[in-house]
């Protein structure tokens, strides 16, 4: 099948490479010339394990191309995916300006019976508006559909190759059939529903996962007051098959490009339709305030943050990505600096943006060598579970009394950290 994917972010590039690997001819389109120039040379403009190899392979096979020209990308495409960003607007609702711009730009090159598929996370009601914008510019007959994306950064290639399900939101059997055929090599269950349900399903999945994380964070807070250990709670309740213990660790709250944005959007959408008192507002508030609350709490334990030297380990929002969108480091570091601490930041990959962020303050430095970040620090704050951090031998870094080790995601063996002589501070652990 000839397909085109508009928007070359995580979702766009990974989907393009995976569809190409199934023998489709895929053109990736972006208006960002620098990004396209890199992609044409086989360079992925962000860090995502396994993606460069797949990209190079598919480019070499001739199945995958990149362009900045709408005409080249659209004129022969049977299926056109829109995978552009939908950032939060000041009201919290999704700002759809990029989706509209794409619709307007592609309209005049559409071929007959093409399917325009929105992969971006958008609210129900988006497709009729998009159709209107396209119809105002072309007489060609086309259809639209919503196929939301559920991949996770850091495991994006594997998630796309082995999805739990494919959700197709369409209004007619012909569109369902064509999109089901395109996704058939993935051998995943296909859920055929209306576009509105598909769009709500994406929001609901992310909001549910964010709620689950917030819930266990709340339980962790209670454990800290009563001597229970939240890790033991997760194990104990996880045996209940209705609950399970997978993908469930307490910590400093959720970050990244999806959960915070999607929860805020769903909350704003609820308010906009008159559902003012909704759980999602509260989830968002709890997550927003989690880091300042924990840092205030630790202030007492470490004897005041003022003049403390802190190694902040892990600056990206999670391991195996250099993405810093809504990363905990972006809240932790300014807060620590404000409290009078000195910060040494370390990350194995989130390098390019970090110096820009840290250079602005004389008390914050950055290194890509863990050992350097640990020199003469009072507090080690293990923020992100990069394997480089969780498997590191911290025994040699303890140089004086007292020295604290904050395990912000309960990733370390508490007894080992204590045996090395640190005062261990975990989440929801006695
Ligand atoms: C998420 C969804 O998982 C994915 O389905 C959707 O398409 C996009 O949003 P992503 O943001 O890439 O993916 O990462 P994910 O691994 O889900 O983590 C999101 C945030 O939640 C991270 O900050 C992570 O540290 C945090 N998290 C996750 C927890 O704090 N506890 C958990 O148990 C799980």
């Amino acid at each position: 099948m000839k397909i085109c994917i508009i928007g070359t972010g995580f979702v766009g590039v990974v989907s393009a490479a995976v569809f190409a690997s199934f023998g489709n001819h895929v053109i990736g389109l972006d208006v960002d010339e620098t990004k396209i120039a890199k992609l044409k040379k086989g360079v992925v403009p962000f860090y995502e394990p396994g993606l460069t190899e797949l990209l190079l392979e598919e480019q070499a096979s001739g199945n995958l191309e990149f362009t900045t020209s709408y005409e080249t990308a659209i004129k022969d495409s049977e299926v056109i995916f829109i995978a552009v960003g939908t950032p939060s607007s000041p009201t919290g609702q999704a700002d759809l300006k990029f989706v509209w711009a794409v619709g307007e730009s592609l309209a005049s090159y559409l071929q007959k019976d093409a399917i325009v598929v929105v992969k971006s996370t958008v609210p129900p009601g988006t497709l009729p508006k998009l159709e209107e914008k396209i119809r105002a510019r072309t007489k060609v007959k086309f259809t639209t559909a919503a196929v939301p994306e559920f991949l996770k950064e850091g495991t994006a290639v594997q998630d796309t190759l082995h999805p739990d399900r494919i959700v197709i939101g369409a209004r007619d059997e012909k569109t369902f059939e064509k999109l089901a055929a395109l996704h058939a090599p993935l051998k995943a269950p296909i859920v055929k529903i209306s576009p509105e349900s598909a769009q709500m399903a994406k929001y609901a999945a992310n909001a549910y996962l964010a709620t689950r994380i917030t819930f266990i964070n709340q339980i962790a807070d209670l454990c800290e007051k009563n001597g229970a250990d939240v890790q033991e709670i997760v194990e104990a309740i996880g045996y209940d098959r209705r609950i399970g213990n997978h993908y469930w660790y307490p910590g400093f709250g959720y970050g990244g490009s999806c959960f915070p944005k999607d929860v805020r959007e769903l909350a704003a959408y609820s308010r906009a339709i008159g559902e003012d008192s909704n759980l999602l507002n509260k989830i968002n508030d709890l997550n927003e305030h989690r880091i300042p609350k924990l840092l205030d709490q630790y202030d007492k334990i470490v004897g005041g943050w003022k003049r403390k030297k802190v190694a902040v380990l892990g600056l990206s929002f999670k391991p195996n990505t250099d993405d810093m969108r809504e990363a905990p480091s972006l809240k932790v570091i300014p807060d620590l600096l404000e409290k009078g601490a000195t910060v040494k930041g370390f990350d194995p990959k989130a390098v390019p943006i970090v110096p820009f962020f840290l250079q602005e303050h004389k008390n914050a430095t950055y290194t890509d060598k863990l050992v350097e970040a640990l020199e003469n620090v009072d507090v080690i704050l293990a923020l992100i579970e990069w394997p480089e951090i969780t498997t590191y031998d911290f025994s040699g870094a303890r140089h004086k009394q007292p020295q604290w080790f904050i395990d912000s995601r309960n990733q370390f063996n508490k007894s080992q950290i204590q045996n090395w002589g640190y005062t261990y501070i975990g989440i929801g652990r006695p």
Side-chain angles (χ1 to χ4, degrees):
M1 224 178 266
K2 290 189 173 171
I3 69 176
C4 153
I5 299 191
I6 306 175
T8 56
F10 284 95
V11 172
V13 179
V14 176
S15 308
V18 167
F19 281 130
S21 74
F22 297 146
N24 299 293
H25 184 261
V26 185
I27 305 188
L29 167 76
D30 205 296
V31 288
D32 184 332
E33 291 181 6
T34 322
K35 249 193 202 174
I36 292 296
K38 281 190 179 167
L39 286 163
K40 277 184 170 172
K41 287 190 213 138
V43 177
V44 179
F46 45 85
Y47 176 68
E48 183 60 45
L51 185 54
T52 305
E53 295 79 349
L54 189 62
L55 185 79
L56 290 171
E57 223 170 275
E58 295 315 315
Q59 283 176 306
S61 75
N63 283 345
L64 179 57
E65 291 173 51
F66 290 96
T67 183
T68 53
S69 155
Y70 267 92
E71 185 174 4
T72 310
I74 307 294
K75 69 178 192 318
D76 293 324
S77 289
E78 300 157 69
V79 180
I80 297 149
F81 285 96
I82 301 181
V84 292
T86 49
S88 296
S89 68
T91 61
Q93 283 194 275
D95 181 346
L96 301 179
K97 63 174 184 256
F98 299 123
V99 176
W100 304 147
V102 166
E104 288 166 7
S105 305
L106 64 80
S108 29
Y109 306 109
L110 271 186
Q111 67 150 300
K112 189 170 168 290
D113 291 334
I115 307 175
V116 178
V117 182
V118 177
K119 230 183 190 336
S120 310
T121 304
V122 295
T126 300
L127 289 193
K129 287 187 201 149
L130 178 67
E131 285 165 12
E132 211 175 283
K133 286 183 192 292
I134 300 176
R135 266 197 212 105
R137 289 166 177 81
T138 183
K139 296 265 173 296
V140 168
K141 194 173 150 282
F142 65 95
T143 49
T144 58
V147 179
E149 181 53 62
F150 297 95
L151 63 77
K152 301 187 289 305
E153 291 180 29
T155 51
V157 174
Q158 284 311 309
D159 288 353
T160 309
L161 283 170
H162 308 287
D164 292 336
R165 76 312 208 178
I166 298 295
V167 175
I168 301 178
R171 296 199 202 284
D172 63 277
E173 205 40 50
K174 208 172 141 202
T175 305
F176 275 128
E177 264 173 36
K178 188 144 188 167
L179 293 178
L182 181 61
H183 291 88
L186 295 168
K187 298 192 171 41
I190 291 185
V191 185
K192 296 181 184 176
I193 49 182
S194 71
E196 291 73 23
S197 296
Q199 288 152 345
M200 269 309 279
K202 166 71 194 222
Y203 277 115
N206 277 356
Y208 171 76
L209 294 168
T211 305
R212 191 174 148 90
I213 295 165
T214 307
F215 172 80
I216 202 65
N217 287 340
Q218 293 270 281
I219 297 293
D221 288 354
L222 301 183
C223 289
E224 282 177 17
K225 302 281 184 294
N226 61 23
D229 184 331
V230 71
Q231 293 309 129
E232 294 175 352
I233 310 297
V234 170
E235 188 190 351
I237 65 176
Y239 279 104
D240 186 328
R241 275 169 293 184
R242 294 168 301 175
I243 300 175
N245 62 6
H246 56 282
Y247 186 82
W248 212 22
Y249 50 86
F252 268 35
Y254 56 80
S257 60
C258 288
F259 287 173
K261 177 177 88 66
D262 291 354
V263 170
R264 275 198 296 267
E265 277 174 19
L266 203 51
Y269 175 72
S270 309
R271 289 194 300 273
I273 58 170
E275 295 291 333
D276 284 347
S277 73
N278 67 76
L279 173 68
L280 300 154
N281 286 325
K282 191 68 192 166
I283 298 292
N284 184 50
D285 275 2
L286 287 168
N287 196 60
E288 285 282 324
H289 294 115
R290 182 144 184 85
I291 287 177
K293 173 177 178 267
L294 289 173
L295 291 182
D296 281 349
Q297 205 171 300
Y298 301 154
D299 185 83
K300 292 176 199 74
I301 304 176
V302 303
W305 286 112
K306 206 167 175 144
R307 283 191 286 279
K308 287 284 179 315
K309 297 193 188 80
V310 188
V312 175
L313 309 182
L315 305 169
S316 54
F317 90 88
K318 64 181 231 180
N320 301 315
T321 179
D322 56 3
D323 195 343
M324 291 192 60
R325 282 176 286 178
E326 308 247 3
S329 62
L330 297 175
K331 280 187 188 162
V332 164
I333 295 176
D335 198 342
L336 288 177
L337 293 174
E338 174 121 9
K339 288 178 161 63
T342 302
V343 172
K344 289 184 183 187
F346 159 78
D347 196 279
K349 285 282 177 221
V351 177
I353 335 164
V354 172
F356 156 77
F357 165 66
L358 291 182
Q359 261 165 21
E360 291 175 3
H361 201 289
K362 64 178 176 9
N363 286 337
T365 49
Y366 159 75
T367 172
D368 59 359
K369 294 183 188 58
L370 212 170
V371 67
E372 282 177 11
L374 299 175
E375 278 166 16
N376 296 318
V377 289
D378 303 302
V379 184
I380 296 173
L381 171 43
L383 201 50
I384 299 297
E385 66 277 27
W386 277 97
E388 288 85 338
I389 299 168
T390 54
T391 59
Y392 191 80
D393 179 351
F394 287 93
S395 57
R398 234 200 119 258
H399 64 284
K400 62 174 185 180
Q401 287 280 5
Q403 208 178 354
W404 297 269
F405 192 106
I406 302 176
D407 178 7
S408 77
R409 284 166 200 276
N410 293 351
Q411 295 289 314
F412 292 82
N413 181 323
K414 181 178 158 187
S415 316
Q416 186 177 52
I417 299 288
Q418 287 171 333
N419 288 342
W420 283 338
Y422 294 96
T423 303
Y424 176 88
I425 306 169
I427 301 288
R429 314 188 86 176

